[in-house]
Amino acid sequence: MAAKNNFSLLLLLLVQLFYSGRAELQMNYYAKSCPKAEEIIKQQVTELYYEHGNTAVSWLRNLFHDCVVQSCDASLLLETTVGVESEKDSDRSFGMRNFKYVNKIKAAVENACPQTVSCADIVALSARDGIVMLKGPHIDLKTGRRDSKMSYSNLVEELVPKHNESLVNVLSRFKSIGIDTEATVALLGAHSVGRVHCVNLVERLYPTVDRSIDPNYAQYLKVRCPTPNPDPEAVLYSRNDRETPMILDNMYYKNVLEHKGLLIVDQELVSNPLTLPYVKKFAADIKYFHDQFSRGIRLLSENNPLTADQGEIRKDCRYVN
């Protein structure tokens, strides 16, 4: 009797594993249902990059903001409508842009394969292809995600780290979704591209300069952000990386080692004994950084996805069907 019960328990565990999100994502999920899906997405990402280079950075940020909130399920893309409050309206989404071009990618895919490819997979694959446009590594990602029927706007403030979040809290947040310390430090390397608005920088500059910032670098930042009360609507920002601002390389780690990190979490990487060794490794070896960054992206992109009969495949990424 006991053996039978143990067998039943084992069978139940195997069934649960089979039906878990990570188990059901797979490589080339659309090979039969929409064989050109990934090619179409890559073509759209490439064309958009050459028209609007900053879209590549947007795709990478979209992946983080979507996957860190509950699930990689394109809930981020939902617009505010009756009964739905958009996650994009949160203060944590400040500075995010280019959402309209997601609709262009979706339209191209829908033209080839109506209501087959999820918006969640478009978020993941556009990030993958955007990383390549930023001269980062090509990362093989699984697909098969489905789209959420609801927004998680009520969770955004809790789950998306603030611009002035401490490193300890960021590490804890990533650990809660299965991403270890080394992969988290690698993912922070995404700060190598893009920019930070002065709204999120001035507290490190005024009324006194944060002592952890290199003095010469602080003077540069004050030129970029000349007032302690910048207009959120104005184009006032500093690049994360002045040397190679649109290349996903390891210059970010070299900068933080020289006390030229923009955000608190950047600079704390070198004062924390758990993360400093990884910073040094990444700064010395770009291939090793790219390998760990790829691993981090895979872990992030597989966070709690909706699969099988969960969720839906949206016709329009902005609205539930």
Side-chain angles (χ1 to χ4, degrees), residues 16-26 29-30 63 66-75 118-121 123-124 141-149 152 177 297-313:
Q16 289 176 336
L17 175 62
F18 181 80
Y19 283 100
S20 69
R22 287 180 188 262
E24 290 201 8
L25 293 181
Q26 57 188 266
Y29 178 83
Y30 298 106
L63 181 70
D66 187 43
C67 291
V68 81
V69 178
Q70 190 71 20
S71 167
C72 295
D73 58 8
S75 61
S118 70
C119 298
D121 278 338
V123 168
L141 295 183
K142 295 177 181 179
T143 44
R145 300 165 190 81
R146 288 171 65 85
D147 300 325
S148 171
K149 295 181 180 180
Y152 299 102
I177 58 173
I297 288 291
R298 282 192 288 268
L299 288 171
L300 177 64
S301 71
E302 295 178 20
N303 179 40
N304 193 33
L306 302 179
T307 58
D309 60 352
Q310 298 173 309
E312 63 181 10
I313 304 297

Side-chain angles (χ1 to χ4, degrees), residues 58-254:
S58 296
W59 309 148
L60 181 52
R61 190 175 178 190
N62 284 355
L63 181 70
F64 168 71
H65 277 257
D66 187 43
C67 291
V68 81
V69 178
Q70 190 71 20
S71 167
C72 295
D73 58 8
S75 61
L76 170 70
L77 302 179
L78 290 172
E79 296 284 355
T80 295
T81 58
V82 176
V84 176
E85 182 179 349
S86 178
E87 294 173 22
K88 293 182 287 186
D89 294 339
S90 167
D91 289 343
R92 296 288 199 279
S93 300
F94 176 74
M96 295 187 73
R97 52 188 171 163
N98 293 319
F99 289 112
K100 62 183 178 182
Y101 297 123
V102 178
N103 304 328
K104 184 176 184 296
I105 299 172
K106 175 64 169 174
V109 176
E110 284 291 302
N111 187 55
C113 310
Q115 216 166 344
T116 302
V117 180
S118 70
C119 298
D121 278 338
I122 288 174
V123 168
L125 294 175
S126 61
R128 179 193 69 181
D129 296 332
I131 288 166
V132 172
M133 300 313 297
L134 295 167
K135 299 187 170 51
H138 173 80
I139 306 169
D140 291 325
L141 295 183
K142 295 177 181 179
T143 44
R145 300 165 190 81
R146 288 171 65 85
D147 300 325
S148 171
K149 295 181 180 180
M150 62 185 294
S151 165
Y152 299 102
S153 57
N154 60 314
L155 298 177
V156 173
E157 300 291 321
E158 173 189 348
L159 300 179
V160 177
K162 302 189 295 291
H163 69 276
N164 60 353
E165 197 78 71
S166 72
L167 175 61
V168 170
N169 287 343
V170 170
L171 292 175
S172 176
R173 178 72 198 104
F174 277 82
K175 183 179 179 181
S176 73
I177 58 173
I179 301 178
D180 58 85
T181 297
E182 184 171 22
T184 299
V185 176
L187 287 174
L188 284 170
H191 288 182
S192 180
V193 293
R195 60 194 190 181
V196 176
H197 197 286
C198 289
V199 166
N200 292 333
L201 290 179
V202 289
E203 66 186 76
R204 299 192 71 202
L205 301 174
Y206 303 99
T208 57
V209 174
D210 184 331
R211 292 183 179 181
S212 66
I213 303 177
D214 173 80
N216 292 329
Y217 188 57
Q219 288 305 309
Y220 160 77
L221 293 179
K222 280 194 166 187
V223 171
R224 300 294 303 175
C225 305
T227 170
N229 299 298
D231 178 0
E233 302 298 322
V235 184
L236 294 169
Y237 64 86
S238 177
R239 293 286 182 185
N240 286 317
D241 173 3
R242 294 164 63 190
E243 287 83 1
T244 54
M246 293 296 287
I247 297 177
L248 187 61
D249 57 14
N250 60 346
M251 187 61 69
Y252 166 77
Y253 301 100
K254 296 176 183 180

